[in-house]
């Protein structure tokens, strides 16, 4: 059987798995670095870009003492971290607002080959240049200030003392002004981390016992501090197949199970019709989501089956959820939704003339599909090119066979896509359609969460 492994990190925070914990307890790894009130050593920073020294000349190195007299805010970030990238324009604005009183300095462990093209593309998209110095391949700064989540900010005052360790929410005009006036102590960011081996089952052999002979189990727990939120699906490896979802809201567990690991039951394809929707989905953002999960609304689920089992992973997960959360009824129904439909403009199927073996290529300005199904096109439009579009994107051509299609140009706008689709006799039209929808309702039977002996366990 072909091995399939999928890792998904949710966007509560961008995770950087480099720190270690001890005694299998969640620990704050920021405590291993320089602390608030301690002086930062006058190290030489290398790998600088877009930095001008005191003489106004471009320089690739600097000493921390070069920033003496300024509030230095070290910004630890990465190109794959969405909150980090979103902070670039804000930091640039703050830098201009406070002028010589402050200096933002962004540091990443990524190389200049990864970072500089990314920043150039980002600035082109934004139509603006950002005058923020960047340190690439940063090792010394990361060693001085260990952390596990991004973005991560270290505030160093004009004398070289650490004033604060924060997340991105504290970086604003009000707090910077208060720091200058010594009128505030900012909330210290804590990066909790725990020893976790993704190659062995949850709660076993370092995660809670010896799992060397584990063949089959199903576990549901409450929120596990220190692990962040993640998902893993392994259809076949060695002797077992696995579904693992850590620190998930109940709604996301339901969407995962009824998607069979493939179909994406996004918000626009899910109807929640329960009396207390806040128990299964938060609607919150940022740090508030993590607090909501910790307050009894986050779950960690793991199912392991032997490869030779005739049971289906997804059917077993559905069964577990139905048994453990039997106050809810979950079904897939056809319902009318406003959709963005792909329709034909001609009687001929101009898009089914594929000429090669399977081929797939997706870049910012090109989508090439050969000898694969129409659903690959709709998936890319909904999840890549029109990711922010609120309505489902549906194939309404009446054809769902294999296609050959090459879209080029502005693929992130409806107008640009219509131009590319036109040569294949296709266009995008907003219309009402009956589509499959995941529907979650109350059963009106208040039995709570079931506890069963043997394979199923519920713990808080």
């Amino acid at each position: 059987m072909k091995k399939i492994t999928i890792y998904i990190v949710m966007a509560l925070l961008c995770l950087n798995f480099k720190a270690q914990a001890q005694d299998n307890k969640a620990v704050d790894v920021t405590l291993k670095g320089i602390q608030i009130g301690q002086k930062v050593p006058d190290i030489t920073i290398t790998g600088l870009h877009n930095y001008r020294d005191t003489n106004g000349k471009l320089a690739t190195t600097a000493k921390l003492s070069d920033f003496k007299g300024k509030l230095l805010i070290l910004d630890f970030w990465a190109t794959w971290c969405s909150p980090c990238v979103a902070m670039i324009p804000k930091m640039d604005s703050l830098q201009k607002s406070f002028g010589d009183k402050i200096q933002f300095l962004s540091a990443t462990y990524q190389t200049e080959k990864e970072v500089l093209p990314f920043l150039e593309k980002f600035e082109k998209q934004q139509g603006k240049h950002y005058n923020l110095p960047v340190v690439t391949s940063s090792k010394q700064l990361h060693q001085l200030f260990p952390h596990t989540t991004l973005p991560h900010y270290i505030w160093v005052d004009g004398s070289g003392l650490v004033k604060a360790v924060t997340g991105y929410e504290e970086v604003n005009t009000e707090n910077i002004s208060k720091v200058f006036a010594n009128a505030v102590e900012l909330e210290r960011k804590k990066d909790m981390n725990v020893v976790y081996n993704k190659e062995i089952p949850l709660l076993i052999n370092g995660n809670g016992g010896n799992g060397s002979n584990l063949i089959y189990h199903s576990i549901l727990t409450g929120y596990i501090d220190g692990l962040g939120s993640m998902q893993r699906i392994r259809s076949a490896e060695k002797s077992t197949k696995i579904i693992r979802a850590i620190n998930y809201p109940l709604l996301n567990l339901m969407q995962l199970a009824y998607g069979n690991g493939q179909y994406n039951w996004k918000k626009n394809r899910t109807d929640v019709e329960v009396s207390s929707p806040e128990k299964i989905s938060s609607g919150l953002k940022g740090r508030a989501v993590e607090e909501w999960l910790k307050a009894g609304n986050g779950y960690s689920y793991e199912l392991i089956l032997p490869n030779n089992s005739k049971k289906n992973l997804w059917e077993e997960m559905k069964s577990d959820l139905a048994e453990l959360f039997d106050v809810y009824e979950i079904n897939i129904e056809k319902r009318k939704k406003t959709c963005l439909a792909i329709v034909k403009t001609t009687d001929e199927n101009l898009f089914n003339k594929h000429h090669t073996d399977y081929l797939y290529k997706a870049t910012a300005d090109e989508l090439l599909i050969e000898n694969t199904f129409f659903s690959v096109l709709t998936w890319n439009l909904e999840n890549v090119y029109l990711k922010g579009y609120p309505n489902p994107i549906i194939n309404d051509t009446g054809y769902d066979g294999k296609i050959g299609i090459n879209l080029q140009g502005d693929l992130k706008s409806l107008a640009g896509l219509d131009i590319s689709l036109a040569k294949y006799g296709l266009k995008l039209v907003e219309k009402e359609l009956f589509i499959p929808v995941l529907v979650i309702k109350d059963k009106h039977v208040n039995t709570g969460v079931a506890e069963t002996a043997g394979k199923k366990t519920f713990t808080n």
Side-chain angles (χ1 to χ4, degrees), residues 5 60 141 192 240 253 300 312 314 380 395 410:
T5 305
T60 58
L141 290 174
M192 306 305 294
T240 59
L253 285 179
S300 293
N312 179 278
W314 303 107
N380 274 276
N395 172 18
D410 179 13

Side-chain angles (χ1 to χ4, degrees), residues 166-229:
T166 75
Y168 67 92
E169 293 171 324
E170 285 73 26
V171 181
N172 54 54
T173 300
E174 181 181 2
N175 283 338
I176 291 173
S177 299
K178 288 181 178 179
V179 167
F180 280 134
N182 291 316
V184 65
E185 287 189 8
L186 301 182
E187 181 179 350
R188 189 176 75 81
K189 177 173 176 275
K190 296 180 180 180
D191 278 6
M192 306 305 294
N193 195 55
V194 67
V195 171
Y196 174 68
N197 185 344
K198 62 179 179 292
E199 299 302 324
I200 63 173
L202 183 68
L203 303 179
I204 302 297
N205 198 16
N207 292 341
N210 184 351
S212 58
N213 296 318
L214 185 64
I215 298 174
Y216 172 72
H217 83 167
S218 173
I219 290 177
L220 180 71
T221 80
Y223 186 91
I224 302 175
D225 200 12
L227 286 187
S229 298

Side-chain angles (χ1 to χ4, degrees), residues 11-12 25 52 68 75 81 108 119 137 155 171 174 210 213 227 248 261 269 291 315 317 346 355 360 410 416 441 450:
L12 298 179
K25 294 180 181 179
R52 293 185 181 276
K68 185 177 180 180
D75 159 44
C81 169
T108 177
L119 290 175
S137 301
W155 303 50
V171 181
E174 181 181 2
N210 184 351
N213 296 318
L227 286 187
Y248 264 37
R269 285 183 170 88
E291 295 305 315
E315 294 305 316
M317 184 177 182
T346 67
H355 307 289
Y360 171 77
D410 179 13
K441 301 179 181 178

Side-chain angles (χ1 to χ4, degrees), residues 350-356 359-372 374 376-377 381 385 403-411 416-426:
L350 301 176
F351 43 81
N352 69 343
K353 296 178 174 59
H354 49 86
H355 307 289
T356 69
L359 183 62
Y360 171 77
K361 176 184 177 183
T363 65
D365 53 10
E366 181 181 14
L367 176 62
L368 173 61
I369 297 171
E370 284 284 355
N371 200 25
T372 190
F374 207 107
V376 176
L377 172 61
L381 294 188
Y385 298 104
I403 64 174
I405 196 167
N406 186 10
L407 307 182
Q408 295 182 357
D410 179 13
L411 305 184
L417 278 168
D418 270 335
I419 292 172
S420 296
L421 290 168
K423 64 180 180 180
Y424 296 100
L426 298 171

Side-chain angles (χ1 to χ4, degrees), residues 54-246:
T54 54
N55 297 317
K57 295 182 179 180
L58 286 172
T60 58
T61 64
K63 296 181 72 68
L64 278 177
S65 57
D66 292 343
F67 304 102
K68 185 177 180 180
K70 298 182 180 183
L71 174 62
L72 174 65
I73 300 182
L74 298 173
D75 159 44
F76 292 92
W77 74 294
T79 59
W80 45 260
C81 169
S82 296
C84 301
V85 177
M87 282 295 293
I88 293 175
K90 184 175 181 179
M91 290 188 297
D92 183 71
S93 177
L94 290 169
Q95 181 69 67
K96 291 176 180 176
S97 177
F98 286 93
D100 290 338
K101 294 181 179 179
I102 193 172
Q103 180 63 62
F104 281 94
L105 182 61
S106 296
T108 177
Y109 63 87
Q110 293 175 281
T111 66
E112 66 179 78
K113 291 183 179 180
E114 297 174 276
V115 175
L116 299 186
F118 173 86
L119 290 175
E120 182 179 356
K121 183 178 180 181
F122 179 71
E123 290 183 345
K124 186 176 180 181
Q125 291 172 340
Q126 298 291 307
K128 188 176 181 181
H129 174 64
Y130 299 107
N131 280 315
L132 296 173
V134 178
V135 184
T136 57
S137 301
S138 170
K139 294 182 179 179
Q140 284 182 299
L141 290 174
H142 281 73
Q143 290 170 351
L144 292 176
F145 303 104
H147 51 277
T148 59
T149 63
L150 299 173
H152 183 73
Y153 293 91
I154 304 296
W155 303 50
V156 182
D157 69 15
S159 65
L161 296 178
V162 176
K163 292 288 289 184
V165 178
T166 75
Y168 67 92
E169 293 171 324
E170 285 73 26
V171 181
N172 54 54
T173 300
E174 181 181 2
N175 283 338
I176 291 173
S177 299
K178 288 181 178 179
V179 167
F180 280 134
N182 291 316
V184 65
E185 287 189 8
L186 301 182
E187 181 179 350
R188 189 176 75 81
K189 177 173 176 275
K190 296 180 180 180
D191 278 6
M192 306 305 294
N193 195 55
V194 67
V195 171
Y196 174 68
N197 185 344
K198 62 179 179 292
E199 299 302 324
I200 63 173
L202 183 68
L203 303 179
I204 302 297
N205 198 16
N207 292 341
N210 184 351
S212 58
N213 296 318
L214 185 64
I215 298 174
Y216 172 72
H217 83 167
S218 173
I219 290 177
L220 180 71
T221 80
Y223 186 91
I224 302 175
D225 200 12
L227 286 187
S229 298
M230 65 185 78
Q231 171 188 315
R232 188 184 191 198
I233 301 167
R234 188 178 71 196
S235 66
E237 183 176 300
K238 298 181 180 178
S239 60
T240 59
K241 43 193 175 184
I242 291 175
I243 298 173
R244 181 180 300 155
I246 297 175

